Amino acid sequence: MTDKMNLILRIAGILILLASAVWSAIYFSQLPFNATIAAMSALHAALWLLLAWLLLRNHPGRPVHSSPAFIFAGFVSGMALCAPSVTTNESIIAFKDWLGLSSLGFTLLTPTAEELFKFATVFILSTMIFRIRRPIEAVTIAIAVGFGFAALENATYILKAALDNLNSDVEGSLMGYAARTVPGPWGHSLYLGLSAWGLGVFLCRTDKSLGWRIGQLVIWYFLGFAIHSIFNASTELPGEIVPLVALIAVIAFTWIGGIWLYLHTRKIGRRDIAETTEGTESASHGASAATVEEVSAREARQRS
């Protein structure tokens, strides 16, 4: 692909994400934030960005040729998705009765817009802006996008908690913090990270047949979607005890699953480095292992 075409794709991707960001800015400017609630929401977003930075800045699966830009780009792009997702979900609610769906059945479908928008954003970042070289790089981008989306989505919950609290906005905001942190700060990163693995395989494993790559794309996308659906639907189960038990179970799964995803992606990233090193360097005693930066540079030269 020519440099001119790369530039055109990059500009197109930036314009798409910028349009989404403007939409979100307009949407949130119309919400009843006061100075205290806005400051608490901004602090919350800053903490989420710091967490994403700490987790991804030295991740062996990161797209090093775009690091650390991918962390900030992914985070901001995730934030930009909030208004389109919320607006679409609000529109879909109008079809609930028309479709004759129960609360449980409808809740299983509520992640549809969110997951599609997040997935499309990872696709734009992975193909039009940064151009990933390994499947795992799509996952690290997705983790950043997931943190960004959660940061701004949580602002709406912080706002509601602050407005409902009769004591103070600060106390209400802190309760909103707790309500959104206890279920796991990386829920969206977990759902999207699983889907992004399928996308990364589809884009990078050109040694496999197209049918196999499409199969991986579909399987991993719906796995991430299904986990998100189950999490949302856990509180809609009938009875009093069952929803509570289900909620505890999905929260535990989110924490364990998020930690597993992070550790496993690091393992895959290190494995990719080792395999690339073995394939491009002759083995010799005392030779030092290639760093992730060296491997990325070598792959770039091979592809050029």
Side-chain angles (χ1 to χ4, degrees):
M1 187 176 294
T2 65
D3 291 340
K4 183 178 180 180
M5 181 58 67
N6 281 331
L7 179 61
I8 292 173
L9 288 175
R10 184 165 296 175
I11 292 174
I14 291 173
L15 289 176
I16 293 171
L17 297 175
L18 183 60
S20 180
V22 171
W23 185 352
S24 290
I26 294 173
Y27 176 85
F28 276 86
S29 69
Q30 298 172 346
L31 297 180
F33 283 96
N34 58 32
T36 301
I37 302 174
M40 295 296 287
S41 297
L43 176 61
H44 176 81
L47 291 174
W48 254 230
L49 176 58
L50 176 61
L51 181 58
W53 167 264
L54 293 174
L55 291 175
L56 297 174
R57 64 191 178 94
N58 290 320
H59 195 295
R62 70 193 186 279
V64 179
H65 55 288
S66 304
S67 185
F70 86 94
I71 301 175
F72 297 103
F75 192 88
V76 173
S77 298
M79 294 180 70
L81 295 176
C82 196
S85 299
V86 171
T87 304
T88 304
N89 281 339
E90 291 174 348
S91 300
I92 293 175
I93 291 175
F95 292 94
K96 175 184 174 183
D97 294 333
W98 182 72
L99 294 172
L101 295 174
S102 63
S103 295
L104 177 59
F106 181 75
T107 304
L108 289 171
L109 299 177
T110 52
T112 301
E114 287 184 17
E115 294 305 320
L116 282 174
F117 284 133
K118 290 187 297 183
F119 187 82
T121 298
V122 175
F123 176 81
I124 291 172
L125 292 172
S126 299
T127 60
M128 300 172 70
I129 296 180
F130 295 127
R131 300 190 64 82
I132 63 171
R133 298 180 178 122
R134 299 177 292 161
I136 197 62
E137 294 177 4
V139 181
T140 53
I141 291 174
I143 292 173
V145 172
F147 272 113
F149 182 86
L152 200 56
E153 183 188 48
N154 290 349
T156 62
Y157 290 90
I158 292 171
L159 172 64
K160 185 179 185 303
L163 294 177
D164 289 344
N165 190 280
L166 300 179
N167 295 324
S168 71
D169 290 338
V170 173
E171 180 180 311
S173 297
L174 291 175
M175 292 178 66
Y177 274 35
R180 299 301 294 175
T181 302
V182 170
W186 41 69
H188 286 290
S189 293
L190 171 62
Y191 316 140
L192 186 58
L194 293 171
S195 300
W197 174 252
L199 175 63
V201 168
F202 175 80
L203 294 173
C204 299
R205 292 299 305 273
T206 54
D207 58 312
K208 297 289 188 178
S209 68
L210 179 61
W212 182 86
R213 290 158 58 200
I214 292 176
Q216 293 296 304
L217 180 71
V218 172
I219 290 171
W220 285 100
Y221 176 84
F222 280 103
L223 177 60
F225 179 89
I227 295 174
H228 193 174
S229 295
I230 293 171
F231 184 94
N232 287 357
S234 61
T235 57
E236 297 295 333
L237 295 172
E240 297 181 358
I241 303 299
V242 173
L244 178 61
V245 173
L247 180 61
I248 294 173
V250 295
I251 289 175
F253 177 84
T254 301
W255 276 91
I256 296 171
I259 294 171
W260 169 85
L261 177 71
Y262 179 71
L263 296 177
H264 196 62
T265 55
R266 291 188 65 89
K267 180 179 179 180
I268 293 174
R270 290 192 296 268
R271 184 193 66 193
D272 289 347
I273 296 171
E275 290 178 351
T276 304
T277 302
E278 291 174 0
T280 56
E281 293 185 345
S282 59
S284 61
H285 292 292
S288 59
T291 65
V292 67
E293 288 84 358
E294 292 169 342
V295 170
S296 181
R298 188 180 303 117
E299 289 178 345
R301 290 195 298 270
Q302 291 172 346
R303 290 173 180 267
S304 62

